[in-house]
Amino acid sequence: MADTFKAVRISDRVWWVGAVDWGIRDFHGYATKRGTTYNAYLVTGDKPVLIDTVKKPFYQEMMSRISSVLPEKKVSFIISNHSEMDHSGSLPEAIASLEPEMVFASRAGCQALKDHFPALDSITAIKSGEKLALGNSDFLFLETRMLHWPDSMVSYLAGDGVLFTQDAFGMHLATLSLMAAGHERALLRAEAARYYANILTPYSGLVADLLQKLPQLGLDIKIVAPDHGPIWQGKDEIGWITGLWQNWAALKPTRKTVIVYDSMWGSTASMAQVIADSLAGAGVEIFMAPLSSTHRSDVATELLEAGALLVGTPTINQEMFPTVADVLCYLKGLKRKGLIGQVFGSHGWGGEGVRRADEALTQMQVETVGMPVTARYVPGPEALSSCRELGAMIASALKERTAV
Ligand code: FEO
């Protein structure tokens, strides 16, 4: 087994022993176009420590990497920073095989692990702020509740200065070039934004709190090691990714507008196109999201750095178009705050679709500008003129909101 997969050293005493999921394209509703990694870490010393595990189908890959460093395949401790199954799925088998003396998790983590795996009823809870000497490895633990589950915590290894951050500061990017320096910043930015937008947006206030709290702890953080994607090393890289997260957490409006729509016979699409034309003519950056060919997670990603959301839907059987309902359900859950917007669409008789979309924007606390624009069957000059006017009103409101 030791010759199959190798561990990758990331610091004096820490090895990456995770797995690469090259093929995953749907991560609970989020389109992971570049796959992902499940990062687990082995801290060597007189008492080896494993931090997190991997999704269950990748257990053998993790064990192979562990045995390339520890041929006897025994560790003294396991720390579970996060109980979601992409990190805990292999935990029961890992405990059975690696025979640790103790397994640690946050208090909520102990409960969550027991709920997932009832046999795991002897995990030891550690408190936020607790320090533990595990053999010659000195750890500090910090709960990061709701980043992004209630059980989430981060672990800091003194000496090597590695902060193991589970999902925080990660991204879904399948790679064996494990250090961030091995990738173009543009790619890292795009995938980090996609990950933040689709997972962290609802918890932006907690992200801001964590980023304020971390420097106050006085830790000498040399490496930030998340559970997905590349590892950040050195002040420049760590400052770069935490700076991006700080900006995203602030949810500052920009002049960009996302236009989400679907269409049955091209009428709502033509309304979207006229609104887009009007906005672009007023100097507003637009992202057109025809839902027949745009995934909901692309919409969420584009909305991360936008200021306005416009939603176009036909009416079908007295409802919104199903693709529009899907994306609005997803966005509502992500709780993107601070947007302005409006709804529009064509209908045959009742027109309930636009009304349902308007209700959804209200639930999302989107501040509406102007009035909904509707058209019966095929939009004529008057409806298209209203679309142009809506674009102009949105552009003007965005300029006002982003004026310095
Ligand atoms: Fe990567 Fe929340 O699990």
Side-chain angles (χ1 to χ4, degrees):
M1 187 189 281
D3 288 335
T4 309
F5 295 102
K6 302 288 189 189
V8 179
R9 194 173 211 155
I10 66 160
S11 74
D12 187 29
R13 295 175 47 206
V14 180
W15 298 76
W16 177 84
V17 290
V20 185
D21 192 343
W22 300 103
I24 188 168
R25 290 294 180 269
D26 185 324
F27 199 102
H28 53 51
Y30 159 3
T32 45
K33 298 175 183 180
R34 290 191 170 94
T36 195
T37 63
Y38 310 112
N39 298 341
Y41 299 97
L42 183 65
V43 181
T44 54
D46 59 350
K47 297 269 190 179
V49 182
L50 176 66
I51 298 177
D52 286 325
T53 68
V54 296
K55 195 172 171 180
K56 190 170 181 176
F58 298 85
Y59 167 72
Q60 289 298 347
E61 182 175 340
M62 177 187 75
M63 290 302 291
S64 171
R65 295 190 196 279
I66 290 172
S67 67
S68 74
V69 179
L70 299 175
E72 67 280 15
K73 289 189 282 179
K74 298 294 170 220
V75 302
S76 301
F77 304 100
I78 297 179
I79 296 167
S80 171
N81 276 333
H82 181 24
S83 65
E84 193 162 8
M85 283 196 283
D86 46 335
H87 311 298
S88 70
S90 294
L91 186 59
E93 287 82 358
I95 291 171
S97 175
L98 297 167
E99 299 179 336
E101 295 165 26
M102 296 176 82
V103 180
F104 299 100
S106 68
R107 196 163 58 171
C110 291
Q111 184 60 51
L113 288 171
K114 197 175 162 190
D115 290 341
H116 280 84
F117 312 105
L120 297 188
D121 58 359
S122 57
I123 311 287
T124 302
I126 34 186
K127 293 185 193 130
S128 194
E130 192 170 339
K131 291 181 179 174
L132 275 183
L134 301 178
N136 59 353
S137 301
D138 293 328
F139 282 96
L140 167 72
F141 304 96
L142 186 68
E143 285 185 358
T144 55
R145 288 181 198 175
M146 298 317 298
L147 295 179
H148 76 113
W149 273 19
D151 62 273
S152 295
M153 67 174 192
V154 299
S155 306
Y156 173 72
L157 173 68
D160 284 28
V162 183
L163 186 68
F164 301 96
T165 57
Q166 40 93 29
D167 282 338
F169 313 119
M171 69 183 68
H172 289 310
L173 175 63
T175 181
L176 279 168
S177 183
L178 292 168
M179 306 310 287
H183 301 271
E184 294 290 336
R185 282 275 168 100
L187 172 66
L188 296 176
R189 192 189 194 287
E191 288 304 329
R194 188 171 181 76
Y195 183 91
Y196 189 98
N198 284 278
I199 297 179
L200 278 307
T201 310
Y203 313 111
S204 289
L206 296 172
V207 170
D209 290 347
L210 175 66
L211 288 170
Q212 191 182 24
K213 194 173 177 183
L214 266 181
Q216 294 166 6
L217 297 176
L219 305 177
D220 181 16
I221 301 172
K222 298 175 182 128
I223 290 177
V224 168
D227 274 0
H228 297 290
I231 295 157
W232 312 98
Q233 185 170 32
K235 277 195 168 59
D236 175 54
E237 286 180 6
I238 294 170
W240 184 77
I241 186 65
T242 55
L244 285 175
W245 274 51
Q246 201 156 27
N247 286 341
W248 292 327
L251 297 174
K252 284 186 193 147
T254 70
R255 293 187 183 185
K256 178 175 164 185
T257 296
V258 175
I259 305 176
V260 178
Y261 64 96
D262 213 330
S263 203
M264 290 168 72
W265 297 104
S267 293
T268 302
S270 67
M271 296 170 81
Q273 286 155 15
V274 172
I275 294 169
D277 198 66
S278 171
L279 280 161
V284 172
E285 181 191 350
I286 49 162
F287 179 78
M288 287 289 265
L291 293 174
S292 54
S293 56
T294 309
H295 195 274
R296 67 176 85 83
S297 49
D298 291 325
V299 177
T301 303
E302 294 295 334
L303 206 52
L304 179 64
E305 295 179 304
L309 171 66
L310 295 173
V311 179
T313 180
T315 295
I316 181 166
N317 298 328
Q318 299 179 294
E319 270 299 343
M320 284 183 266
F321 208 67
T323 51
V324 179
D326 173 273
V327 82
L328 288 180
C329 174
Y330 190 69
L331 295 179
K332 194 166 64 172
L334 288 173
K335 298 184 173 64
R336 174 67 170 84
K337 302 281 188 237
L339 295 168
I340 62 170
Q342 193 46 274
V343 293
F344 62 93
S346 151
H347 62 273
W349 45 102
E352 293 88 347
V354 163
R355 289 201 286 279
R356 296 289 97 79
D358 184 44
E359 287 161 14
L361 289 200
T362 302
Q363 288 170 353
M364 290 168 64
Q365 298 175 15
V366 173
E367 187 185 320
T368 52
V369 172
M371 297 295 290
V373 179
T374 60
R376 191 176 284 271
Y377 295 112
V378 178
E382 195 178 328
L384 294 177
S385 169
S386 297
C387 289
R388 185 156 283 283
E389 197 181 324
L390 174 61
M393 281 193 287
I394 294 286
S396 166
L398 284 175
K399 280 176 189 165
E400 213 171 283
R401 288 162 67 95
T402 53
V404 281

